[in-house]
Amino acid sequence: MGNIVDEIARLSKDNTMLGLYDAEVEAEKIRKTRLKGARQEGLEQGLKQGIEQGQKEMLLKLKDKLSIEDLAELTSMSVEEVKKILNKK
C-alpha cells in the first residue's frame, strides 16, 4: 500500500503527468457532453419520426371521410404535404 501512495506522490509532482491527467479529464468531459448531445438529438429525431408516422397513418385512415383541407388543418400540415402523402399510397 505504501508503494502506491509513494508513486502517487511522485507522479503528482511531475508536471508532464499532471498535464496528461488534466488533458484526459478534459477529454472525458468533452466526450460525455458530445454523447449527451447525441442522445438528445436521437430522442428528438425519434419523436419527430413517430409523430410524422402517426400523422400519415391518420391521414390514410381518414382520407375517405374528410377533405384534404380538413386533413391538413387536423395534422398541421400543408395541403401539398397531405396530397403528397396520400398519393404515395
Side-chain angles (χ1 to χ4, degrees):
M1 182 82 163
N3 289 339
I4 295 172
V5 173
D6 292 340
E7 184 66 11
I8 291 172
R10 184 185 69 76
L11 292 174
S12 68
K13 294 176 185 174
D14 184 338
N15 287 334
T16 301
M17 292 304 290
L18 288 174
L20 290 172
Y21 176 79
D22 288 344
E24 184 64 28
V25 168
E26 283 302 309
E28 182 65 13
K29 286 179 186 177
I30 291 168
R31 187 188 71 77
K32 286 181 179 180
T33 300
R34 287 181 177 162
L35 184 59
K36 184 178 178 181
R39 282 187 187 134
Q40 184 65 33
E41 186 178 321
L43 289 171
E44 290 171 3
Q45 185 178 15
L47 181 60
K48 181 181 175 189
Q49 288 174 347
I51 291 170
E52 289 173 356
Q53 183 62 33
Q55 287 176 326
K56 289 175 184 179
E57 289 174 10
M58 183 172 49
L59 287 175
L60 294 171
K61 288 179 182 179
L62 297 175
K63 69 180 181 178
D64 296 329
K65 295 174 177 58
L66 297 172
S67 70
I68 289 178
E69 291 78 14
D70 287 340
L71 290 171
E73 185 177 339
L74 183 65
T75 59
S76 300
M77 299 172 96
S78 69
V79 171
E80 292 76 25
E81 289 173 307
V82 171
K83 286 180 181 179
K84 184 177 178 182
I85 291 170
L86 293 178
N87 288 332
K88 284 185 178 179
K89 300 291 177 183

